Amino acid sequence: MSLSGPTVAAASPVTRGVVASALRQLRRSPQGQRAPVRWSSGTCSIMDRTVYARAADPSTSAAVVAATSKGASNPAAKQESVETLAVHGSVPEKYTAAWNFFDSIGRPKYVVAPMVDQSELAFRELCRRHGATNAYTPMLHADHFARMPKYRKKHFTTNEQDRPLFVQFCANDPDVLLEAARLVEDSCDAVDINLGCPQGIAKRGRYGAWLMDDLPLIRSMVVKLHENLSIPVTCKIRCFPKVEDTVAYALMLQDAGCQLLTVHGRTRDIKGPRYAPAQWDQIKAVKEALSIPVYANGNVGCLDDANRCMEYTGCDGVMSAEALLWNPALFNPSHSAKQPDSAALLLEYLDIAEKYNEPMSIVRSHVHRMMIDWFTAHPYLREIALERNVSMARLRDIAEIIKQKVANEEMQYPPSAYSFHYGGNKQGKTMPAECSPISKRIKGTGAQAQPGVEIWDQVLRDDPESNDNQMRLLEQQLAKKSA
C-alpha cells in the first residue's frame, strides 16, 4: 500500500510519540483534511480529526490505535489527547471475535449480494442450492422496518434453512437503526449496514454511500450496534477515489466494531458495471490493512472470476449481484464449464417462489433477468412474460417451450448470459463460463487486467445494443403493461 505523506521514524510496536507526531500534523491541517503519515513499521492515517495507526505486523504490535482529536487545537487538551490513547500490544479482542464469528458460520466465501426486491427468500434458496454459501436480505429501510409492521411482514421472510443470513439496513440515525436491528437479531447471523448504495434515492434519503460525507455519523451507527446487539455488525462500503482514503475509512469501521467488511471496488459516482470496472487493487489494499474478514464485490461474472478475485485480493470471500440474477448457478462448479440451463433454473425458481408465495412483481422481474438472452433472440417468449395477468403456469410455459424446442433442435442457445456484465455480445459469439468477460473483452488477461475508463468506454461504444440496455427496455415495457 502506498500512502503519501511524511515519514516518521519510530520503533515498533506503536508508540505514543508516533501518534503525537500525527496529531501535531492534524492540528496543522485544515478541518477534515486527510493527511496520512508513515512510520518505519506501519501506517498512520488521519481522517475526520481522528488518528488511525496500524503497525506492519499486527501479531506482534498494535493493530489499530485510535485517538479522537476533538479539542486538539486547544493547548490544554493537547497533552490529554496523546496520553489517553489506547495503545494495544496485540490484536484487540474484538478482532479475534470477528474471526471466531466467521469460523462459526463456516467461513462462507460465495455470497449473494443484498438486492432490493431481488434477494428475497426464494431467490436466496435457489442460489444456495447452486453453490452460494452466504446470503444477504434485500436492503431494508430501518425507519420503515422499526415503525411499520406491514413493511416488516412484506419485506423480511426467512426460515431455519436460510442460514447463514445477514440482514441489511440503510439508516442515518443510530437509535432507529438499533431499534430495527433488535427486531431481527434472533432471526439472522449478523446485521449489515448499507454504506454503499450510490443511487439518487439514497442521496435524497441520506443513506448508503452518501453518508461517506459524514464519517462520524457512520462510526456512531457501527458503535451503537456493536455495543448493543448480541450478534455481529458488518458493513458494505464503496471506495473513495484515493486508496489511502479507502483504507483509512475501512480502519475506522474496524475500530468502531465492524466484524466483517464488504468492499465494492467502485466509487459512489459509478452506478454499475456498464460504466467502469471495479478496482480490485483498492479491495486488495483494504484486505492487507484490516484484521477482520473482508469480502470483495465487483467484476464477478462467473465462478472463475470469483476464484481469481479471491486469489488476487486475498479476500475471504466474494459477493455477486447482477451476474447472479442472470445465472443463479454462478457459484455451482458443475456449471463452470458450460452455459447454464436457464429453462431448468427458471422452473426450479418458480417452484420455490410458489412455495413461499412471493409477489408476482418480484417473480416476473427474476424471469426477465434470467431469460433475457432467450427473450432477445425470441421476442414471442417475452410477450408471454409481459401478459398483464400472467400466471405461474404461463411463466412455466416459457421454460417448457424452450426445453422442447432445444430437444428437437428447433432452437439453439443464444449468446451467453455472462456477456451482459461487460457489454453485450453483438457478434453472437458464445462466451464459455470459464472465460472471464473482463479478460476476454478488454485488453489484458487475468486478475491484473484493470482497464481504464477510456478502454471501458470503447467497449460500450462497440456494443450499443448490449443486453444491459435490452434489460432496461424490457423493464420499461413491463411497467407499461402493468399500468
Side-chain angles (χ1 to χ4, degrees):
M1 179 176 59
S2 176
L3 293 178
S4 59
T7 298
V8 180
S12 181
V14 181
T15 67
R16 283 180 168 81
V18 173
V19 185
S21 174
L23 282 171
R24 285 194 294 272
Q25 181 172 333
L26 173 62
R27 286 191 286 270
R28 292 194 299 267
S29 303
Q31 175 71 30
Q33 179 175 328
R34 299 169 181 84
V37 299
R38 292 182 62 82
W39 75 90
S40 58
S41 62
T43 303
C44 183
S45 296
I46 301 170
M47 176 171 276
D48 276 14
R49 319 299 286 177
T50 301
V51 177
Y52 295 95
R54 185 184 192 282
D57 185 358
S59 65
T60 59
S61 57
V64 172
V65 180
T68 180
S69 62
K70 293 179 180 178
S73 58
N74 181 350
K78 290 182 180 179
Q79 187 65 23
E80 181 182 358
S81 296
V82 176
E83 292 301 323
T84 57
L85 293 180
V87 180
H88 305 284
S90 60
V91 177
E93 183 179 348
K94 60 186 171 186
Y95 306 148
T96 302
W99 286 104
N100 289 340
F101 160 68
F102 198 52
D103 287 336
S104 74
I105 60 173
R107 288 180 171 253
K109 62 181 182 179
Y110 298 125
V111 187
V112 180
M115 295 174 281
V116 175
D117 291 337
Q118 300 283 265
S119 59
E120 84 289 356
L121 177 58
F123 187 73
R124 297 196 301 268
E125 181 170 317
L126 178 66
C127 293
R128 291 182 196 275
R129 290 183 182 184
H130 291 278
T133 51
N134 193 6
Y136 287 60
T137 67
M139 181 194 74
L140 304 169
H141 288 259
D143 185 68
H144 297 345
F145 199 87
R147 316 256 187 252
M148 301 165 59
K150 289 184 178 179
Y151 179 90
R152 290 199 296 272
K153 183 177 181 179
K154 178 180 179 180
H155 293 283
F156 178 65
T157 54
T158 185
N159 57 35
E160 293 181 356
Q161 291 72 46
D162 187 30
R163 306 298 276 267
L165 177 66
F166 290 13
V167 177
Q168 187 185 74
F169 289 104
C170 66
N172 54 29
D173 184 309
D175 294 325
V176 172
L177 177 59
L178 177 61
E179 184 179 353
R182 280 178 167 159
L183 294 171
V184 300
E185 67 178 321
D186 294 331
S187 303
C188 64
D189 296 277
V191 169
D192 187 79
I193 305 176
N194 183 321
L195 302 173
C197 181
Q199 303 300 329
I201 191 172
K203 184 176 183 179
R204 294 190 295 273
R206 195 167 167 259
Y207 61 81
W210 300 99
L211 292 181
M212 292 168 73
D213 297 326
D214 193 349
L215 296 180
L217 173 59
I218 291 176
R219 179 181 175 85
S220 68
M221 292 196 298
V222 177
V223 169
K224 176 69 76 171
L225 295 193
H226 177 65
E227 293 181 348
N228 292 280
L229 289 182
S230 60
I231 57 175
V233 55
T234 68
C235 300
K236 186 172 186 291
I237 66 170
R238 289 210 168 210
C239 296
F240 283 97
K242 294 182 179 180
V243 65
E244 57 264 33
D245 292 343
T246 303
V247 169
Y249 180 29
L251 285 169
M252 180 270 286
L253 293 170
Q254 176 182 253
D255 182 68
C258 175
Q259 295 195 10
L260 184 149
L261 182 67
T262 300
V263 183
H264 187 145
R266 296 181 175 90
T267 65
R268 69 184 183 187
D269 297 320
I270 300 173
K271 300 299 191 292
R274 61 182 175 272
Y275 294 104
Q279 296 301 310
W280 285 359
D281 287 334
Q282 284 246 30
I283 302 173
K284 181 179 181 181
V286 170
K287 173 57 186 173
E288 290 175 349
L290 263 58
S291 300
I292 60 174
V294 176
Y295 281 156
N297 181 209
N299 293 1
V300 177
C302 62
L303 182 60
D304 194 47
D305 285 345
N307 292 329
R308 184 166 43 250
C309 179
M310 285 188 286
E311 180 181 0
Y312 181 73
T313 63
C315 283
D316 307 286
V318 289
M319 176 182 287
S320 184
E322 293 189 48
L324 274 174
L325 295 176
W326 268 259
N327 177 22
L330 184 152
F331 293 132
N332 190 337
S334 66
H335 286 261
S336 62
K338 63 180 181 180
Q339 193 173 47
D341 189 341
S342 300
L345 287 169
L346 174 59
L347 288 173
E348 188 175 4
Y349 170 73
L350 292 175
D351 287 343
I352 302 171
E354 192 167 41
K355 177 176 67 173
Y356 294 129
N357 195 28
E358 299 289 3
M360 184 56 73
S361 59
I362 292 177
V363 172
R364 298 214 308 187
S365 178
H366 279 298
V367 171
H368 280 277
R369 290 186 178 274
M370 290 168 64
M371 307 304 292
I372 177 63
D373 291 317
W374 288 102
F375 288 173
T376 302
H378 305 283
Y380 74 92
L381 295 174
R382 176 197 311 160
E383 293 303 315
I384 296 175
L386 287 172
E387 291 175 1
R388 182 184 294 272
N389 297 314
V390 66
S391 64
M392 285 285 194
R394 284 292 282 164
L395 293 176
R396 286 190 177 91
D397 287 344
I398 297 172
E400 295 295 348
I401 290 170
I402 292 172
K403 289 176 62 178
Q404 181 179 354
K405 289 186 176 291
V406 168
N408 296 336
E409 298 185 350
E410 299 174 25
M411 274 186 180
Q412 294 182 347
Y413 279 92
S416 170
Y418 296 109
S419 64
F420 90 94
H421 205 74
Y422 304 101
N425 205 337
K426 189 178 178 181
Q427 290 74 28
K429 298 178 181 178
T430 298
M431 185 181 300
E434 67 269 26
C435 298
S436 167
I438 196 168
S439 300
K440 289 293 180 182
R441 299 187 54 73
I442 308 216
K443 198 178 297 182
T445 59
Q448 296 184 5
Q450 293 290 315
V453 175
E454 292 183 3
I455 298 176
W456 196 262
D457 286 344
Q458 183 60 51
V459 170
L460 296 182
R461 286 195 294 272
D462 288 344
D463 287 305
E465 299 177 0
S466 69
N467 284 355
D468 202 45
N469 292 330
Q470 291 291 320
M471 189 66 238
R472 288 199 299 275
L473 292 175
L474 282 175
E475 289 174 338
Q476 291 173 5
Q477 293 180 28
L478 180 59
K480 291 179 180 179
K481 289 271 186 178
S482 303

